[in-house]
Amino acid sequence: MRSLLVPYHHPDPLPALARAYAADDAIVVAKGAPGAMLAHLYRTAAERVAARDEPLVVLSGDCTTSLATVAGLQRRGIAPGVIWFDAHGDFHTARTTRSGYLGGMALAMLTGRGGAALTGAIGLAPVDDTRCVLAGARDVEPGEREALAASAVRQVAVETLGDADLPQSPWYVHLDLDVVDPGEMPPLRFPAPGGPSLEAVAQALRALAARGTIAALGVACTLTPAAFDLPDALAPVRALVDAAA
Ligand SMILES: [Mn+2]
């Protein structure tokens, strides 16, 4: 799979990610006011995704880059189903979040819940709940728990994903690295114990690749900034990308 690097954590540059992962292509934008800069960064990423006509992996430091990747696929005429691997729900809105952390709202925004200024700026059409599956979530907060229960987003265990009822492919597969048990990962921003092994996640990705078409794989490299400089910090990422290819 060709790779595109968006080396940012929200609007903050994450040069350590670019040092740690050799990608085919990378996006860098001029610094600006956070909101305008994020919209510009994601518009640029969506254009780059739309210009491809082959499966690709998009690596970034957060989960919100998914909005750009899916918008780019849509511009190519693809209405992807979404398989979202994450330890967290990412289903907060501005109304329910306590931390205000943007990445905790990524799947909610992707399905049309909040963030209209950003999703409108990048031309994202909301993905219908029935086309979304959340895999491996185990640290879901009050507020997003109720919103998920009231939604048509399905939740599955990583270990049973291969046999689960899934939306029709092509898929956008989203992989927040924190879905893997933190015992097998470099230090994570928001570690959630009790997760599936690296091999179980790789196995689920292989099962997906065997069952349908992965139009794009989004890897949210949600390590602490310092963790990127550990020796071979992104070896797990390479293993997971290989499993999906
Ligand atoms: Mn996430």
Side-chain angles (χ1 to χ4, degrees), residues 31-43:
K31 219 171 155 33
M37 184 180 159
L38 203 56
H40 175 55
L41 177 66
Y42 289 176
R43 266 199 304 269

Side-chain angles (χ1 to χ4, degrees), residues 57-118:
V57 53
V58 180
L59 300 110
S60 75
D62 57 49
C63 286
T64 48
T65 303
S66 61
L67 304 172
T69 304
V70 171
L73 292 177
Q74 290 174 343
R75 216 169 294 177
R76 265 159 53 185
I78 297 171
V82 172
I83 317 287
W84 192 278
F85 289 85
D86 208 302
H88 308 96
D90 289 5
F91 216 65
H92 271 302
T93 61
R95 201 170 52 78
T96 62
T97 181
R98 287 175 298 192
S99 65
Y101 183 69
L102 194 65
M105 310 182 198
L107 183 56
M109 290 193 282
L110 193 63
T111 55
R113 295 170 170 86
L118 180 58

Side-chain angles (χ1 to χ4, degrees), residues 137-245:
R138 54 193 180 273
D139 185 0
V140 180
E141 294 182 337
E144 51 178 359
R145 187 184 303 277
E146 289 73 29
L148 272 169
S151 79
V153 174
R154 259 169 303 148
Q155 292 193 60
V156 299
V158 167
E159 290 83 352
T160 57
L161 186 73
D163 302 314
D165 180 25
L166 299 175
Q168 206 177 6
S169 89
W171 296 307
Y172 167 68
V173 176
H174 183 79
L175 185 62
D176 187 330
L177 294 181
D178 65 27
V179 74
V180 178
D181 190 87
E184 283 193 79
M185 295 299 289
L188 295 157
R189 288 179 186 270
F190 305 107
S197 66
L198 184 62
E199 177 49 30
V201 176
Q203 184 57 43
L205 291 170
R206 282 192 288 269
L208 287 175
R211 275 181 68 176
T213 302
I214 299 175
L217 172 68
V219 184
C221 300
T222 51
L223 311 181
T224 65
F228 288 97
D229 290 319
L230 294 171
D232 225 6
L234 295 188
V237 176
R238 283 186 286 274
L240 294 170
V241 170
D242 284 350

Side-chain angles (χ1 to χ4, degrees), residues 124-145:
L124 175 77
V127 179
D128 197 86
D129 288 0
T130 58
R131 301 269 297 143
C132 296
V133 170
L134 174 59
R138 54 193 180 273
D139 185 0
V140 180
E141 294 182 337
E144 51 178 359
R145 187 184 303 277

